[in-house]
């Protein structure tokens, strides 16, 4: 089974009202195990909407979402929450780390919520932070880190529970070009080492070219780039 399958996804906002906006019009996408896919589209095309649906943060009006072969139509809220926590990692343009906690603790907490013992959670968090070069920054709160470091910690948090699928919404969109390159390299290395599948939205065609496949979101559908 593919890690992600989206079939006939339609989604609009303010349905039936004068300010109705239809964003997705039958989007189709399959992401195979270990495959990395770049999604390119202008701002407002619906990338966030699509990623939120794939990441179980929002629901489609019609269409089917399947994660690792499990069709999400009609599953319980409880099962949905479990899948969201265990199978999907999400990275945003802004790090969204918890400001009151250290970098390490930000990677530990999702594991504790998932029932992992603290000792194991800390060991995994340290391993993840080390692998993207921010191990020595683990004791600092997010505000004390640079933008690139914050984003690398956010990747580690997304990977904390060993998801099958990584979803990222302009993960380097907030960084200067040089930092963006380094941070993206770290992300791709982490993805390839763990055999993870990834769907990453980016405006940056050079970064997109480093992924296995590129798609474009156009008129509410995904087409090959
Ligand atoms: P992108 O991520 O490509 O910039 P979005 O998915 O954020 O696009 O938004 C696609 C369109 O849907 C935009 O026109 C946006 O204004 C609109 N939109 C997104 N979320 C909402 C919402 N909650 N309510 C109303 N309109 C929304
Ligand atoms: P991005 O451009 O990074 O995708 P946005 O600023 O478009 O982020 O959206 C941020 C949040 O605001 C999303 O949860 C989105 O659903 C919501 N949103 C976007 N556009 C609108 C809108 N026109 N009305 C209400 N909510 C919106």
């Amino acid at each position: 089974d593919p890690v992600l399958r989206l079939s006939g996804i339609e989604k609009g906002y303010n349905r039936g009202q004068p300010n109705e906006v239809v964003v997705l019009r039958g989007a189709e996408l399959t992401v195979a195990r270990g495959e990395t896919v770049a999604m390119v589209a202008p701002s407002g095309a619906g990338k966030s909407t699509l990623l939120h649906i794939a990441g179980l943060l929002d629901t489609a009006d019609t269409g089917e979402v399947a994660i690792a072969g499990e069709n999400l139509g009609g599953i319980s809220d409880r099962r949905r929450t479990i899948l969201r926590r265990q199978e999907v990692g999400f990275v945003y343009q802004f790090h969204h780390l918890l400001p009151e906690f250290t970098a390490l603790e930000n990677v530990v907490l999702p594991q504790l919520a998932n029932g992992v013992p603290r000792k194991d959670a800390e060991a995994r968090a340290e391993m993840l932070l080390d692998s993207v070069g921010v191990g020595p920054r683990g004791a600092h709160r997010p505000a004390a880190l640079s933008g690139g470091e914050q984003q690398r910690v956010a990747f580690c948090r997304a990977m904390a529970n060993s998801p099958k699928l990584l979803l990222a919404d302009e993960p380097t969109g907030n960084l200067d070009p040089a930092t963006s390159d380094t941070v993206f390299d770290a992300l791709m290395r982490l993805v390839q080492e763990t055999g993870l599948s990834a769907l990453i939205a980016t405006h940056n065609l050079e970064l997109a070219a480093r992924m296995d496949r590129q798609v474009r979101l156009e008129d509410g559908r995904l087409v090959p780039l």
Side-chain angles (χ1 to χ4, degrees):
D1 285 320
V3 168
L4 173 68
R5 201 185 62 240
L6 302 175
S7 322
I9 301 293
E10 296 183 15
K11 176 73 175 179
Y13 296 103
N14 309 317
R15 289 288 198 182
Q17 289 164 51
N19 57 349
E20 170 171 313
V21 42
V22 181
V23 180
L24 302 176
R25 306 166 181 270
E28 308 274 340
L29 180 70
T30 300
V31 181
R33 204 165 286 273
E35 188 181 32
T36 58
V37 179
M39 174 166 52
V40 180
S43 194
K47 294 187 299 294
S48 301
T49 299
L50 186 121
L51 288 169
H52 285 171
I53 290 169
L56 316 185
L57 299 166
D58 198 358
T59 53
D61 298 334
T62 56
E64 281 185 5
V65 181
I67 304 272
E70 181 170 350
N71 194 324
L72 300 184
I75 64 165
S76 67
D77 285 351
R78 185 158 175 278
R79 180 72 189 142
R80 232 184 136 71
T81 304
I82 289 172
L83 285 173
R84 187 192 299 136
R85 255 191 212 158
Q86 295 184 347
E87 310 286 24
V88 183
F90 214 102
V91 179
Y92 301 88
Q93 181 170 355
F94 301 97
H95 60 83
H96 289 289
L97 297 169
L98 298 170
E100 300 307 318
F101 292 90
T102 65
L104 185 83
E105 205 62 12
N106 267 279
V107 186
V108 166
L109 289 170
Q111 300 179 73
L112 298 184
N114 206 22
V116 176
R118 172 166 278 277
K119 263 205 147 39
D120 299 342
E122 285 178 357
R124 178 164 172 78
E126 281 167 14
M127 183 275 289
L128 286 167
L129 293 174
D130 277 341
S131 74
V132 294
V134 288
R137 311 293 282 153
H140 294 276
R141 290 186 184 180
L145 307 181
S146 72
E149 288 170 342
Q150 290 168 345
Q151 219 42 359
R152 281 184 272 175
V153 175
F155 298 158
C156 295
R157 182 190 47 188
M159 309 280 198
N161 286 321
S162 308
K164 293 195 177 75
L165 175 66
L166 179 79
L167 299 169
D169 196 351
E170 303 275 358
T172 63
N174 191 35
L175 305 173
D176 63 73
T179 309
S180 173
D181 248 37
T182 323
V183 166
F184 196 83
D185 279 345
L187 176 63
M188 291 310 282
R189 219 176 316 117
L190 199 53
V191 165
Q192 275 149 13
E193 275 167 14
T194 51
L196 202 67
S197 308
L199 175 60
I200 301 178
T202 178
H203 286 302
N204 187 324
L205 292 176
E206 278 173 39
L207 298 184
R210 294 197 216 166
M211 285 177 261
D212 296 329
R213 189 154 61 90
Q214 295 76 30
V215 295
R216 184 178 170 78
L217 183 53
E218 198 174 80
D219 300 327
R221 292 187 190 85
L222 290 163
V223 295
L225 188 69

